[in-house]
Amino acid sequence: MTITVASGKGGAGKTSLAAALAASVGSSCIVADCDVDAANGAIALHARLRESGPYFAGPGYRIEPSLCIGCGRCMPACRFNAIRTDKTRRTYLIAEELCERCGACTDHCPVDAIQGFTKEAGRLSVSDCPLGMTLIHAELVPGEDTSGKLVNQVRRRADTINPGNAIIIVDAPPGIGCPVIASLSGADIVLLVVDSTISGLRDSLRLSELAAGMDKRIIAIINKTGLDEEIDNKIRVAMTQSSIPVMGEIPFDPLLRSVEEKDLTWIDVAGEAGLKAKAAVRAVLEYAQMQMIY
Amino acid sequence: MKAVPQELVIAVASGKGGTGKTSLAAHLALAGAARLRTILVDLDVEAPDSLAYFPEAIRVGRNCPVSLKVPFLIPESCSGCGACAKACHFGAIVALGGAVTIDQKLCKGCGRCVFLCPENALKERGIVVGQTRLMKSGSLDILEGRMDVGDIRSTSVIEAAKTRAASLKKEVQVRDCPPGVSCPATHAVEGADYVVLVAEPTAFSLHDLSAAISLVKGQGLKAGVVINKYGFGDADIESLCREKALPVIGRIEFKRKRASSGASGKLWTDDGSYMQKIDEILKRIVHAVETDEGELG
């Protein structure tokens, strides 16, 4: 059983909620932190590194200055405007931040001055959490562009170490792009974390449209309620209209934020917010159990 | 003294999502628009929310589809040699037993397969992956890039929005960038004169800010940090900035009242002390672009 926690919007509470879910499931649980751009699962779960290995992306390209004859044929071949030249038009170079790594330029270079290179684009790690669960996480080197591929590797590793019946909790990145699609694929349940703001509503509707298009079962938790009653209501109505069952609402409370710094998750927080987080998480797991039975 | 660019491009970015990029970008753009011709460009094309702050904005100009040239096969001409599949780095073409299948959803439109096909069996047609739309609120122009749901080509939409924004020739361009440190963020900050990294004093944000700093350093961009929700947590953003030799160009204190009105997309233009902070941040940015402040080693 795989539950993917996603939101569309960043900062909605995905990682903290994934940690709270994991803490409720207990030591048998596997957490896959798929936000490889901003991997905070290890912080939320106080994980200790067990093993770590390099991740290599596909080739990047560079123009070897000693071989380049300055003919400029590579430049129009690049549809991404990633090839630059100076005023003399004698030297050409590839702007890595714009390069899509298609290799089209190499087909046009008459002297083979454009060479592919591979480099370590990130690390894939397995860690142990004090609460007993296993965390698979990865970190992309900033500026690298193959986060979808790295997410696939995180997912595959989580599946490999699964003895067969464990609950896998996937913490998805924000947005609706390729790393998000890679996080949603294979999920039995998508848990939508709706930030109770106008942006949170807009982004969660885009995410739920994506997940629905992938035939996913979607449930929701509304986070940070109580800031604006009108927005809270709008979100409740929108969830009903989209036939997305709401498993719980968690009020905005700075107390929840502060548990990041301690050896705890949201379900350990005293007071209303903690109790509601605990109830919401329990409702999600009950829903998941029902799905497993049927 | 360095020459002031004709158009000052400010990119508002952060590693972590939800730190307050969109609201800071909106207010910075408003502060710019008070004196100069300014455009707010929403480059968070997977989750564009800048316009949520401007419900009264009116549309100016056409909505422009963002299209990409992708290949399709002329089966009569195809010899099944598989040169196209071998050339494609995106896994969009499969050649099995002489049969070529193209998945246009995975294609990035590089045109390599078309060029390399010895039989001229591949032609191209445009497909739409998103759109840009231009709106106006008072004197502020707002350009939104929006990727279609289910697509993965966010960078194409980001580049199209950057191109359209540049063609409008404003004096100030404020970009609302996507979170993260991979391709969408890389494309969104590219070409900026200054990058404002928005952080909040939490452990998560501290970790992600560090990655965002590496990203802007890698691109050789000038940058400064705004600590948003100041007092909301006690993660030490200031120490990280000192260690990375990055100036803190603003501190905006956390107020529940602000969080409440921000939730519904209300602007804080009535909040004098807030707008004064925004003005100061903008001044710091202009000063930094004119001089060497914030230059990263």
Side-chain angles (χ1 to χ4, degrees):
Chain A
M1 161 69 65
T2 299
I3 305 172
T4 295
V5 185
S7 69
K9 179 167 162 41
K14 287 179 296 298
T15 303
S16 298
L17 202 52
L21 257 177
S24 309
V25 175
S27 57
S28 64
C29 170
I30 299 165
V31 181
D33 184 355
C34 289
D35 191 357
V36 300
D37 279 32
N40 294 322
I43 300 174
L45 288 164
H46 309 276
R48 207 166 316 130
L49 194 66
R50 188 199 302 169
E51 58 183 74
S52 177
Y55 159 72
F56 293 98
Y61 292 93
R62 106 164 58 84
I63 300 173
E64 177 51 46
S66 64
L67 297 176
C68 177
I69 54 168
C71 70
R73 278 180 225 177
C74 51
M75 221 167 147
C78 177
R79 291 200 177 161
F80 308 109
N81 298 319
I83 299 181
R84 304 261 167 88
T85 184
D86 58 8
K87 273 188 195 131
T88 66
R89 295 192 171 271
R90 258 185 231 131
T91 48
Y92 290 80
L93 58 92
I94 296 173
E96 230 185 294
E97 58 270 26
L98 294 177
C99 176
E100 295 277 1
R101 304 180 179 191
C102 65
C105 51
T106 61
D107 303 332
H108 297 259
C109 179
V111 292
D112 287 333
I114 306 177
Q115 298 164 345
F117 65 92
T118 46
K119 66 173 179 186
E120 194 176 314
R123 290 195 79 78
L124 180 65
S125 311
V126 180
S127 292
D128 298 302
C129 310
L131 293 167
M133 60 287 264
T134 307
L135 172 72
I136 318 294
H137 53 125
E139 211 145 355
L140 196 74
V141 171
E144 285 297 327
D145 77 349
T146 51
S147 52
K149 237 186 253 174
L150 183 51
V151 168
N152 280 331
Q153 293 203 2
V154 172
R155 297 291 308 277
R156 222 171 303 140
R157 180 63 77 88
D159 288 338
T160 316
I161 63 166
N162 182 3
N165 53 4
I167 291 185
I168 300 178
I169 295 165
V170 175
D171 183 9
I176 56 166
C178 52
V180 177
I181 293 173
S183 305
L184 294 176
S185 76
D188 299 295
I189 296 171
V190 175
L191 172 58
L192 183 63
V193 186
V194 189
D195 190 81
S196 203
T197 60
I198 185 77
S199 306
L201 173 59
R202 289 160 60 109
D203 299 346
S204 60
L205 290 178
R206 272 165 78 77
L207 193 280
S208 66
E209 191 186 335
L210 175 70
M214 295 171 75
D215 289 323
K216 296 298 172 193
R217 204 178 289 278
I218 312 168
I219 55 176
I221 286 178
I222 308 174
N223 190 22
K224 306 183 203 169
T225 56
L227 286 171
D228 183 304
E229 229 168 275
E230 214 182 306
I231 292 289
D232 293 346
N233 276 327
K234 255 190 200 161
I235 289 170
R236 290 179 194 121
V237 170
M239 291 302 115
T240 310
Q241 280 171 346
S242 310
S243 312
I244 298 172
V246 176
M247 300 288 118
E249 294 183 8
I250 303 170
F252 178 83
D253 187 342
L255 271 180
L256 290 183
R257 193 219 51 78
S258 62
V259 298
E260 283 169 18
E261 260 86 321
K262 299 184 193 104
D263 210 351
L264 304 165
T265 72
W266 282 2
I267 56 170
D268 306 305
V269 174
E272 196 207 350
L275 286 174
K276 290 221 162 146
K278 202 172 188 170
V281 164
R282 196 171 294 154
V284 170
L285 293 178
E286 272 165 22
Y287 182 90
Q289 261 150 18
M290 295 287 280
Q291 297 302 317
M292 279 198 268
I293 293 163
Y294 297 108
Chain B
M1 287 285 273
K2 287 193 173 174
V4 183
Q6 285 192 321
E7 182 181 38
L8 172 67
V9 180
I10 303 167
V12 181
S14 76
K16 177 166 159 45
T19 56
K21 283 183 296 301
T22 304
S23 68
L24 183 70
H27 289 95
L28 272 177
L30 280 168
R35 289 180 291 122
L36 298 160
R37 289 183 298 111
T38 302
I39 186 165
L40 173 63
V41 188
D42 194 343
L43 295 181
D44 190 359
V45 302
E46 294 178 30
D49 289 316
S50 290
L51 283 167
Y53 285 83
F54 301 93
E56 78 301 340
I58 49 161
R59 194 158 68 87
V60 284
R62 294 183 305 117
N63 288 357
C64 296
V66 177
S67 74
L68 203 68
K69 278 199 265 178
V70 299
F72 64 94
L73 189 74
I74 315 286
E76 312 78 272
S77 306
C78 177
S79 68
C81 71
C84 50
K86 217 180 286 166
C88 179
H89 284 196
F90 309 111
I93 308 181
V94 179
L96 268 182
V100 170
T101 324
I102 301 172
D103 185 346
Q104 296 189 336
K105 282 245 164 238
L106 293 176
C107 172
K108 295 229 176 159
C110 71
R112 198 178 180 195
C113 53
V114 180
F115 176 75
L116 290 177
C117 175
E119 320 293 341
N120 274 327
L122 291 167
K123 299 275 176 261
E124 291 182 300
R125 66 169 151 238
I127 56 156
V128 173
V129 299
Q131 65 162 355
T132 62
R133 53 177 177 156
L134 183 60
M135 311 281 285
K136 204 172 185 59
S137 172
S139 62
L140 177 68
D141 280 21
I142 305 160
L143 180 70
E144 180 197 77
R146 173 177 286 258
M147 185 182 79
D148 287 349
V149 174
D151 214 291
I152 58 171
R153 287 158 285 207
S154 50
T155 54
S156 300
V157 184
I158 292 169
E159 288 303 324
K162 279 162 69 180
T163 305
R164 190 173 179 189
S167 76
L168 297 166
K169 295 198 186 333
K170 299 289 174 182
E171 290 166 300
V172 179
Q173 186 189 120
V174 181
R175 294 179 183 169
D176 182 12
C177 299
V181 291
S182 59
C183 39
T186 310
H187 280 257
V189 298
E190 187 274 336
D193 298 300
Y194 196 92
V195 183
V196 180
L197 296 171
V198 188
E200 58 186 31
T202 63
F204 290 178
S205 180
L206 182 70
H207 171 266
D208 302 342
L209 175 65
S210 178
I213 293 173
S214 300
L215 174 74
V216 294
K217 264 192 182 169
Q219 287 199 28
L221 297 167
K222 273 188 189 180
V225 174
V226 168
I227 306 177
N228 197 19
K229 309 180 197 175
Y230 201 75
F232 186 60
D234 31 54
D236 196 354
I237 302 283
E238 312 251 2
S239 284
L240 177 71
C241 294
R242 264 197 304 277
E243 187 191 311
K244 305 271 181 183
L246 215 62
V248 175
I249 60 166
R251 295 169 185 81
I252 298 168
E253 64 279 20
F254 173 76
K255 281 186 184 165
R256 193 187 165 102
K257 229 169 79 189
R258 238 176 238 162
S260 290
S261 67
S264 57
K266 279 185 201 87
L267 291 161
W268 303 316
T269 39
D270 295 340
D271 184 338
S273 75
Y274 177 76
M275 286 313 287
Q276 197 189 334
K277 283 245 161 78
I278 294 291
D279 269 330
E280 280 163 17
I281 292 168
L282 188 58
K283 269 186 206 134
R284 286 285 298 265
I285 294 169
V286 172
H287 177 74
V289 171
E290 286 170 350
T291 64
D292 285 333
E293 193 190 293
E295 201 87 67
L296 289 164

